[in-house]
Amino acid sequence: MTGAVQSLETREEISTWMRGLLKVAWVDGHFDEQEQELIASVTQQEVDPNTNYQSQENIQPEEIGAVLGKNPNVAENFMRTAVMVALADGVYSPSEDEILHQFCDALGLRVQALESLRETLEDPQSQQPDRDSQSQELSQAR
C-alpha cells in the first residue's frame, strides 16, 4: 500500500485522503476494528504519524474530487484504498456502495470492480430459500 500514498504532495491532499477513508469507514454507522487498523496503519506508517484518525471532520464527495481528482493516479489509488476500507470488516453495505460511487463520480472515475461489488449486496426484499429447503423440494419432486 506504500505506493498508494507516496504521490500525496500537500497537507490538503493528505487530510482529504484521510477524511475520505474515514467517511467510508463511518458511513455504515460502524467503525469496526478492522477498518480502524487499516486506517491507522496508513496514517501512522505512510501518511503522517501525528494524524489523529478519530478526530477528522466529515467530507463531501465534491471536496474529494476537487482535491484528489487533479491527478488520475492519486484518484485511482484513493479509490483502491477506499474499497479496501469498505471491505475491511468483511461486509460491503449499501451505504458503503453509495459513498464509493459518489466518490467515483466526483473523481471522474468508472471502477468496474465497484459494479461487481454492487452485485454482491444483499437485497432484503428478495430472500431466497435456503439450500436445505431447495434440496427437500428436489427430493419430493423425484
Side-chain angles (χ1 to χ4, degrees), residues 22-137:
L22 288 169
K23 175 97 172 188
V24 172
W26 277 107
V27 74
D28 63 359
H30 306 284
F31 191 22
D32 300 294
E33 184 177 336
Q34 297 90 343
E35 294 167 329
Q36 291 176 28
E37 289 173 3
L38 179 61
I39 291 175
S41 73
V42 171
T43 302
Q44 295 171 357
Q45 295 174 8
E46 299 178 24
V47 180
D48 182 356
N50 300 316
T51 300
N52 179 353
Y53 66 90
Q54 300 225 2
S55 69
Q56 298 290 317
E57 70 272 8
N58 200 0
I59 190 166
Q60 298 303 312
E62 296 77 21
E63 188 176 352
I64 295 281
V67 175
L68 301 179
K70 298 172 192 171
N71 180 330
N73 291 330
V74 169
E76 290 171 8
N77 286 332
F78 169 76
M79 286 306 304
R80 284 186 194 98
T81 308
V83 169
M84 290 173 58
V85 170
L87 297 174
D89 62 359
V91 177
Y92 186 59
S93 71
S95 55
E96 289 167 329
D97 179 69
E98 182 178 337
I99 195 61
L100 289 176
H101 277 85
Q102 289 175 10
F103 284 172
C104 274
D105 290 345
L107 291 165
L109 298 175
R110 176 155 166 73
V111 180
Q112 184 58 40
L114 284 182
E115 298 308 318
S116 298
L117 274 175
R118 182 170 268 174
E119 293 173 14
T120 70
L121 289 173
E122 183 176 302
D123 181 5
Q125 302 293 324
S126 63
Q127 295 292 330
Q128 295 187 0
D130 61 23
R131 291 179 192 212
D132 290 336
S133 58
Q134 288 177 345
S135 296
Q136 287 174 353
E137 289 172 8

